[in-house]
């Protein structure tokens, strides 16, 4: 059985290790190995959202639900991250900013049970390729929300760097939820 409070306590304990990111990744791997227990504890994904399970100066633990066919443009975090998928699929494309502009550097698909570490300098875009919802635990080695003024996203058309716009990202989640509601209204099953 997944216990949210114990999970956060285990993550906080892992932060004391000599390599906190590796230790946190191990905690996340144990959690996503039993997706049914995670869903039972956190609740059915329901709709796209970002639910904060814990926030401190050195740590943010989030339950992220990627909505129907949701896409988030290239962005940075300015801190390391650990992502563990417990439902669905999360496609990550990695980018590097060079003199010639933002360049694609490959990608990785994460499916149920997968865990991925991202470095503090990582730039990635994220896509849920399905009408089904994707659930993932995202852990950041810092205060994710306090860092917003230092963060960036890159315009999907021009690949121009811009200040991170949390409202814009939320609007993409709203669009994905509207797509899901339209599909449900037409008789498509979305979980």
């Amino acid at each position: 059985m997944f216990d949210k409070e114990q999970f956060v306590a285990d993550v906080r304990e892992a932060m004391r290790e000599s390599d906190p990111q590796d230790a946190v990744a191990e905690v996340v791997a144990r959690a996503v190995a039993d997706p049914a227990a995670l869903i039972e504890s956190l609740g059915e994904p329901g709709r796209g959202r970002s639910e904060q399970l814990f926030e401190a100066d050195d740590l943010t633990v989030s339950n992220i639900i990627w909505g129907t066919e949701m896409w988030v443009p290239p962005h940075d975090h300015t801190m390391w991250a650990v992502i563990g998928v417990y439902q669905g699929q999360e496609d990550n494309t990695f980018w590097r900013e060079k003199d010639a502009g933002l360049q694609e550097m490959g990608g990785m698909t994460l499916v149920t049970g997968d865990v991925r570490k991202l470095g503090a300098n990582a730039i990635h875009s994220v896509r849920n390729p399905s009408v089904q919802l994707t659930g993932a635990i995202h852990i950041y080695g810092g205060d994710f929300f306090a860092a917003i003024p230092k963060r960036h996203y890159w315009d999907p058309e021009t690949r121009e760097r811009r200040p991170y716009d949390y409202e814009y990202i939320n609007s993409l989640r709203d669009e994905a939820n509207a797509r899901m509601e339209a599909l449900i209204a037409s008789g498509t099953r979305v979980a």
Side-chain angles (χ1 to χ4, degrees):
M1 179 68 182
F2 178 83
D3 179 90
K4 187 177 3 180
E5 288 75 26
Q6 185 61 54
F7 175 73
V8 169
D10 291 347
V11 169
R12 293 182 72 193
E13 183 65 30
M15 291 292 289
R16 296 187 181 110
E17 297 292 327
S18 59
D19 187 338
Q21 188 180 26
D22 274 348
V24 166
E26 289 177 21
V27 173
V28 173
R30 287 193 302 269
V32 299
D34 188 355
L38 258 168
I39 292 169
E40 183 178 330
S41 177
L42 298 176
E44 291 290 330
R47 55 189 284 117
R49 67 182 188 283
S50 176
E51 172 189 13
Q52 306 328 304
L53 305 180
F54 181 82
E55 290 179 65
D57 290 344
D58 66 338
L59 177 67
T60 304
V61 180
S62 301
N63 177 30
I64 305 292
I65 309 300
W66 298 112
T68 296
E69 299 173 337
M70 185 173 171
W71 180 80
V72 177
H75 62 279
D76 61 17
H77 299 133
T78 70
M79 63 190 74
W80 61 256
V82 174
I83 301 165
V85 176
Y86 64 86
Q87 175 179 305
Q89 178 176 323
E90 180 180 309
D91 292 343
N92 286 265
T93 302
F94 299 103
W95 305 84
R96 181 166 294 141
E97 196 170 32
K98 297 188 174 194
D99 292 338
L102 194 64
Q103 296 179 347
E104 188 175 332
M105 302 301 292
M108 172 175 276
T109 293
L110 301 175
V111 295
T112 302
D114 286 344
V115 175
R116 170 72 183 195
K117 298 184 295 183
L118 299 179
N121 295 321
I123 299 170
H124 74 141
S125 52
V126 183
R127 182 174 161 259
N128 172 8
S130 174
V131 297
Q132 304 303 316
L133 301 173
T134 295
I137 299 294
H138 286 224
I139 298 182
Y140 303 95
D143 185 332
F144 182 82
F145 297 98
I148 286 175
K150 299 178 227 168
R151 295 179 57 208
H152 303 92
Y153 85 98
W154 282 258
D155 182 278
E157 299 296 322
T158 66
R159 295 190 180 174
E160 187 177 320
R161 181 169 30 151
R162 297 189 174 166
Y164 191 81
D165 185 344
Y166 195 64
E167 294 306 315
Y168 169 64
I169 301 303
N170 282 336
S171 76
L172 297 173
R173 184 176 294 117
D174 293 343
E175 289 173 12
N177 285 330
R179 271 192 300 278
M180 179 186 74
E181 290 164 6
L183 286 168
I184 291 169
S186 72
T188 302
R189 184 180 182 284
V190 176

